[in-house]
Amino acid sequence: DVLLSPHMFPKYILDKYPDLNKKTTGFIHYNIYDERAKTVYESFLRTVIPKIKDSKALSGITISNEPVMDINQMLDADESKNTYFYDLWSKFLKESYESINKLKEVYQTSYQDFSEVPLQKDTEATPQFYDWMMFNNKMFMGWHQWIADIIHEMAPEIPLGIKEMGGTLEVNDAYKKSLRWGVDPEATAEFSQVNGCDAYNWYDPKKANLVGKLKWYDLLASVQKAPVVNTEDHVILDRNKQYIPEQAIHVDADLWQGAVHGRGATVYWVWDRTYDVTHDFDNDPIETIIDG
């Protein structure tokens, strides 16, 4: 399974067009919606896909790694420069409500035109935020659809997916942030042929969290009748040094229950004993969620 990793973008392009640089909460740190960036990425796709599409070893392509995109992070500090996104936002609202009076009734506001409605900066239980979330989802999933269309133009039979994170089903305030990720499993099903994901669950004697992972598999499998493919399956805490029987029992349970709940393939995240403090192969002692 080839991960395309669109978050890896040429530095010389960003040096040439510094306004493409964006500080975002996800892996992607450039304006993916800018036509200059899209031209570069399409060139990459049209170079790479023909080189790999006929390989007998290729089982599928993962379009993006842990996709997260908040449209607000694409905005410039100078509001006058944001006409592109605001125009799309106004068009989205007009298509949703047809008339400004209908929007005013729902929002309980006095806006006189769709162009007056700001992009939502706060995550809250309001119609305004719901509309913004749906707009953000449409933009980000539409970008993925654009990539999928280019790939399938050259290689229509290759299964595609994204490494969608299962954290969206966590029920606590910390995971309210996932509402701003721009990811929608139903929209994902429009351009993918597998239910790609990134989900974790590791042994913890104090808190069993396997059910949350299985709920995520169930959701994906219910949206699209396709195998769940977990291409970053965390079953043991990174750099954990507890070589105990419970770890093996936990992994067995995770494998079996995952299959029962629709997971057709998995790629385990590394759990290695080599020494290198620069990445996840690090084996130096660390504090873990497990005592001892």
Side-chain angles (χ1 to χ4, degrees), residues 239-284:
R239 298 177 292 280
N240 186 284
K241 293 184 68 175
Q242 291 204 317
Y243 311 131
I244 55 178
E246 287 81 358
Q247 299 276 31
I249 295 171
H250 165 76
V251 171
D252 284 348
D254 185 285
L255 272 174
W256 173 251
Q257 288 297 325
V260 170
H261 288 263
R263 193 210 60 241
T266 197
V267 179
Y268 276 157
W269 187 247
V270 294
W271 185 54
D272 195 89
R273 304 181 186 186
T274 57
Y275 284 84
D276 186 337
V277 298
T278 61
H279 52 63
D280 282 311
F281 286 94
D282 172 23
N283 193 38
D284 285 351

Side-chain angles (χ1 to χ4, degrees), residues 34-79:
D34 190 287
E35 288 302 319
R36 294 168 296 177
K38 293 176 74 173
T39 297
V40 171
Y41 198 65
E42 181 171 354
S43 176
F44 163 74
L45 292 172
R46 295 193 181 281
T47 300
V48 170
I49 300 304
K51 293 180 182 295
I52 66 174
K53 68 182 182 68
D54 297 320
S55 170
K56 294 181 179 180
L58 185 66
S59 63
I61 291 176
T62 298
I63 294 175
S64 61
N65 177 66
E66 299 181 7
V68 173
M69 183 55 65
D70 181 337
I71 198 80
N72 284 41
Q73 295 169 340
M74 297 294 102
L75 303 180
D76 297 295
D78 182 357
E79 291 293 317

Side-chain angles (χ1 to χ4, degrees), residues 17-31:
Y17 304 112
D19 57 309
L20 287 179
N21 272 296
K22 298 294 177 182
K23 293 182 179 179
T24 67
T25 54
F27 281 101
I28 301 173
H29 291 169
Y30 64 96
N31 187 348

Side-chain angles (χ1 to χ4, degrees), residues 106-254:
V106 173
Y107 282 16
Q108 294 294 295
T109 58
S110 57
Y111 298 123
Q112 297 304 307
D113 191 84
F114 291 110
S115 63
E116 297 178 14
V117 183
L119 287 160
Q120 299 299 305
K121 297 179 180 180
D122 298 320
T123 306
E124 53 191 8
T126 63
Q128 291 95 320
F129 175 73
Y130 175 81
D131 285 340
W132 177 91
M133 180 182 69
M134 298 304 291
F135 172 68
N136 193 49
N137 290 353
K138 181 180 179 180
M139 288 289 291
F140 197 33
M141 294 295 94
W143 178 75
H144 282 83
Q145 179 75 65
W146 168 75
I147 294 175
D149 289 344
I150 293 174
I151 295 173
H152 277 162
E153 176 192 327
M154 296 178 282
E157 302 302 321
I158 296 179
L160 304 177
I162 64 176
K163 204 155 71 169
E164 195 170 351
M165 292 184 288
T168 53
L169 288 184
E170 296 287 344
V171 185
N172 56 49
D173 289 340
Y175 278 85
K176 281 169 47 178
K177 63 184 181 182
S178 69
L179 299 176
R180 306 188 74 96
W181 285 355
V183 179
D184 178 355
E186 291 183 321
T188 301
E190 295 295 320
F191 60 79
S192 61
Q193 290 70 51
V194 297
N195 293 311
C197 74
D198 172 339
Y200 71 93
N201 169 50
W202 46 68
Y203 170 70
D204 181 354
K206 297 180 180 179
K207 178 185 176 182
N209 58 1
L210 178 58
V211 172
K213 187 177 184 180
L214 301 180
K215 285 195 298 184
W216 178 238
Y217 290 164
D218 287 343
L219 173 62
L220 294 176
S222 70
V223 170
Q224 179 179 203
K225 189 176 181 181
V228 174
V229 178
N230 188 347
T231 50
E232 189 175 323
D233 197 350
H234 295 258
V235 291
I236 297 175
L237 186 65
D238 296 352
R239 298 177 292 280
N240 186 284
K241 293 184 68 175
Q242 291 204 317
Y243 311 131
I244 55 178
E246 287 81 358
Q247 299 276 31
I249 295 171
H250 165 76
V251 171
D252 284 348
D254 185 285

